[in-house]
Amino acid sequence: MGKTSKDKRDIYYRKAKEEGWRARSAFKLLQIDSECQIFDGVSKAVDLCAAPGSWSQVLARKLNENYQEALKEGPASPPKIVAVDLQAMAPLEGVIQLQGDITNTSTAEQIIAHFDNTRADLVVCDGAPDVTGLHDMDIFIQSQLLLAALNIATHILRPGGTFVAKIFRAKDVSLLYAQLRIFFPYVYCTKPSSSRNSSIEAFVVCKDYSPPEGYEPNMLNPWLTEEPCDFEKLTGVNRVVVPFVVCGDLSQPDSDMCYPLNYEGKEYKYHEPVQTPIAPPYEEALLISRRRAEKNVSTFDDSTDFSEIDVEAAIEHENKSSISGIKWALNSASNNSDNQPSTSAKTVQDEDSGEAIDGLQNLYQLDISVSDCSTENEYKDESLANDMKRVLIVSANNDFDNESNTVAKTANDAL
């Protein structure tokens, strides 16, 4: 990008350099004055957060014009302008520079000292935080900066004076307007044409400074100072105490204590909640858990097809040390059968066939319940033997297939 690229993109940036302003923000203050006449009758002004000094340049030019007009009518005192900022700023003719913190009382005292213990006619503030991109954070910091500027303005602004400051027009901006209206009967929100439309930046113009009767300016702001806040020193309109009232009879139960179920001699009886949640946040989790449970139950149901090959393989490998070994043997036997469809489900037609299927189901499920119990070998062997005998006895009593009966009887004799 060349030197002229920004000149093409921003007309006010180009005009500021052509007219000798330090920043394009000078046009914002000039356009506010053209609409609100904030410089009328002003001879003492303060520029808060002044760097790099464009608003101080505008103040110097406008107040000198006022001074020349006043001289035509008679003797007049020269204007005084104080620029305050934490950062150092290049010198400006006719501007007193003060490097300090606007949240400190000492800064306000130094400003008043430069005005010979008098107060300013106008206080302006174009300060803004270094934006982070977190809009809520930026808006909050900007609002606190505005309140800090208002706070110091109550120390240095004369009654009837004018206050101008930058503000972000966010959703809670009405709260700031309400706070400003406590001290100024006239509060306006202005948007100069030199301020980009895409920005939420605006400027509040507050006229006729009129603090509440009995108000004493202070710097008690826990957000912007590390000094302890002694609110006990505040009196009258400066302090609002909200009554704290405890409701209810002291003889009623204490919400922080545990009481027996049979309380006050009344027999306890459980009651369901009057109204259960209609859309609880955990509803989806319960649904997922219920579906998982239903899926696990349906893994072994009466539709499970156990073939004669499965029975023969289980009998043949009854001496395996674990159910997992029998499972492996069953799978191997199933693969060797060339994926032939099961025949026992088609031939078993009486009630005893269901018991044989249940027995094989128990063989599969037993591995889940006792696989981790390596020290209970006797229990596993005994359970396996019982299930095997149960399957064989049921199969032996069924006369639907001679071959299966012969295999069952032979295995039963072996056991």
Side-chain angles (χ1 to χ4, degrees):
M1 297 179 65
K3 293 184 178 180
T4 61
S5 60
K6 192 170 183 178
D7 290 344
K8 294 178 181 178
R9 290 184 288 110
D10 192 339
I11 182 63
Y12 287 103
Y13 173 76
R14 183 168 75 245
K15 289 173 62 68
K17 293 191 297 182
E18 293 173 354
E19 298 181 14
W21 302 112
R22 292 188 175 184
R24 66 187 301 281
S25 57
F27 294 103
K28 300 176 184 178
L29 189 60
L30 290 171
Q31 291 168 356
I32 292 173
D33 175 61
S34 65
E35 183 67 28
C36 302
Q37 291 79 41
I38 59 175
F39 296 127
D40 291 353
V42 175
S43 61
K44 296 186 290 292
V46 179
D47 183 10
L48 303 176
C49 306
S54 60
W55 277 26
S56 296
Q57 285 182 291
V58 174
L59 290 174
R61 178 179 298 185
K62 287 294 184 178
L63 267 60
N64 281 324
E65 292 177 359
N66 291 347
Y67 176 61
Q68 297 300 327
E69 293 292 333
L71 287 177
K72 296 178 181 179
E73 298 179 359
S77 58
K80 290 185 179 181
I81 303 169
V82 177
V84 183
D85 201 292
L86 283 173
Q87 300 178 357
M89 191 175 69
L92 278 173
E93 184 179 358
V95 177
I96 302 172
Q97 297 186 23
L98 182 61
Q99 191 170 355
D101 187 354
I102 64 173
T103 64
N104 291 338
T105 307
S106 59
T107 303
E109 294 173 350
Q110 294 180 51
I111 294 174
I112 294 176
H114 285 295
F115 291 150
D116 299 327
N117 293 327
T118 59
R119 302 200 172 193
D121 302 315
L122 173 67
V123 177
V124 298
C125 178
D126 190 30
D130 294 330
V131 293
T132 63
L134 303 173
H135 299 305
D136 291 340
M137 178 67 71
D138 296 335
I139 292 169
F140 172 75
I141 296 175
Q142 173 62 29
S143 65
Q144 294 301 310
L145 185 58
L146 171 60
L147 292 178
L150 174 63
N151 203 6
I152 194 173
T154 60
H155 289 76
I156 61 178
L157 187 63
R158 67 169 177 82
T162 303
F163 175 68
V164 179
K166 180 181 290 186
I167 190 173
F168 285 172
R169 292 178 297 116
K171 61 180 181 180
D172 296 327
V173 70
S174 298
L175 175 61
L176 292 175
Y177 294 153
Q179 292 171 311
L180 291 170
R181 285 293 301 271
I182 296 175
F183 299 94
F184 299 91
Y186 304 103
V187 177
Y188 308 92
C189 182
T190 62
K191 179 73 171 179
S193 58
S194 55
S195 179
R196 296 182 178 89
N197 292 329
S198 59
S199 172
I200 61 174
E201 169 195 76
F203 296 87
V204 286
V205 178
C206 309
K207 289 188 173 183
D208 193 13
Y209 174 58
S210 304
E213 185 179 356
Y215 174 76
E216 297 179 4
N218 62 80
M219 289 289 186
L220 298 179
N221 192 331
W223 294 103
L224 300 173
T225 180
E226 296 180 356
E227 299 178 1
C229 299
D230 187 5
F231 294 101
E232 298 296 333
K233 296 181 179 179
L234 302 179
T235 58
V237 71
N238 303 285
R239 180 183 182 184
V240 176
V241 179
V242 178
F244 181 81
V245 181
V246 178
C247 303
D249 192 346
L250 295 179
S251 63
Q252 294 177 351
D254 188 350
S255 60
D256 294 320
M257 291 185 61
C258 295
Y259 295 92
L261 295 179
N262 296 327
Y263 179 65
E264 292 182 345
K266 297 180 180 179
E267 183 178 357
Y268 170 76
K269 182 180 179 181
Y270 177 75
H271 295 277
E272 293 289 342
V274 176
Q275 175 62 60
T276 58
I278 58 176
Y282 49 82
E283 182 178 9
E284 184 176 357
L286 291 177
L287 180 60
I288 295 174
S289 178
R290 189 180 302 112
R291 288 177 178 174
R292 186 181 295 114
E294 293 174 354
K295 183 178 180 181
N296 293 337
V297 171
S298 62
T299 302
F300 298 103
D301 54 15
D302 292 340
S303 64
T304 303
D305 190 8
F306 292 98
S307 64
E308 294 180 5
I309 299 177
D310 297 337
V311 177
E312 293 176 0
I315 296 172
E316 182 180 354
H317 299 87
E318 61 176 319
N319 293 327
K320 293 290 185 179
S321 59
S322 67
I323 304 301
S324 299
I326 295 179
K327 278 188 178 182
W328 180 84
L330 292 174
N331 292 332
S332 300
S334 177
N335 293 333
N336 295 332
S337 65
D338 297 330
N339 297 326
Q340 292 296 326
S342 177
T343 58
S344 63
K346 299 178 181 179
T347 58
V348 177
Q349 299 180 356
D350 54 19
E351 297 180 356
D352 293 337
S353 63
E355 297 183 4
I357 293 176
D358 292 338
L360 284 177
Q361 289 178 351
N362 292 335
L363 289 178
Y364 280 91
Q365 293 176 346
L366 185 61
D367 185 47
I368 299 175
S369 60
V370 300
S371 59
D372 295 333
C373 303
S374 59
T375 60
E376 299 179 2
N377 294 327
E378 296 180 359
Y379 171 79
K380 293 195 297 183
D381 294 339
E382 183 180 356
S383 299
L384 174 60
N386 292 335
D387 288 331
M388 292 294 296
K389 287 180 179 181
R390 183 165 171 261
V391 173
L392 297 175
I393 292 172
V394 173
S395 299
N397 293 331
N398 294 331
D399 56 354
F400 63 88
D401 189 88
N402 293 330
E403 181 180 357
S404 61
N405 288 340
T406 303
V407 173
K409 291 179 181 179
T410 303
N412 193 16
D413 295 337
L415 291 174

